[in-house]
Amino acid sequence: MGRRRLGHAQPRGCGPDDPRHAAEQRGRLLRGAGAGSAVKLPRSRGSRIYLAQLVVVAVGLLLIAVDAWRLGVGVVGASFIVAAGLRAVVTPDEHGMLRVRGKAFDIAWMLLLGVALVTLAIVVPPQPPL
């Protein structure tokens, strides 16, 4: 019986292992990131809601970082409550990035989290200064 030799895997032209393909993509990315390229905002309403939610949460976290924790937690909680209301009115055609989760889950989770955070900001008594 003869011994068979297995050949080494070789990339084929125009396949995913083709180095020309990666260089072409890299060049396209570098050309697109120039000074003249504008930031593209999301096109769907659901994606814009998600982006606005992230911006407001970042503002709330910034407020928490500068020692206004009660206001920051209230802002984050209120943003979740508003986002839950907006999520309720977004049509299925405009879901965008929100399409990966169920609508009922999103609304329930954001309402629960928002109400809990706003309640926390209101209920925790002020601490005496050290």
Side-chain angles (χ1 to χ4, degrees):
M1 232 193 219
R3 293 180 63 177
R4 289 187 179 178
R5 290 188 63 189
L6 295 176
H8 295 288
Q10 295 294 322
R12 297 173 192 238
C14 298
D17 295 329
D18 188 4
R20 291 174 295 166
H21 184 68
E24 195 176 294
Q25 285 181 348
R26 202 171 23 255
R28 237 183 279 140
L29 285 174
L30 292 176
R31 283 190 303 271
S37 65
V39 175
K40 292 185 180 179
L41 293 176
R43 287 181 279 179
S44 68
R45 185 176 294 169
S47 297
R48 286 185 291 221
I49 291 170
Y50 185 68
L51 182 63
Q53 170 78 20
L54 288 176
V55 169
V56 175
V57 168
V59 168
L61 291 175
L62 183 66
L63 286 170
I64 293 169
V66 296
D67 221 17
W69 74 267
R70 190 178 304 272
L71 179 62
V73 170
V75 166
V76 172
S79 74
F80 276 107
I81 293 171
V82 169
L86 292 173
R87 177 70 165 108
V89 298
V90 172
T91 62
D93 294 339
E94 299 171 328
H95 280 172
M97 292 185 291
L98 299 176
R99 193 173 309 229
V100 297
R101 295 184 308 261
K103 191 173 191 174
F105 173 80
D106 266 356
I107 293 169
W109 178 245
M110 285 192 287
L111 273 176
L112 177 73
L113 189 60
V115 169
L117 287 174
V118 170
T119 304
L120 176 75
I122 293 170
V123 170
V124 173
Q127 300 296 318
L130 295 175

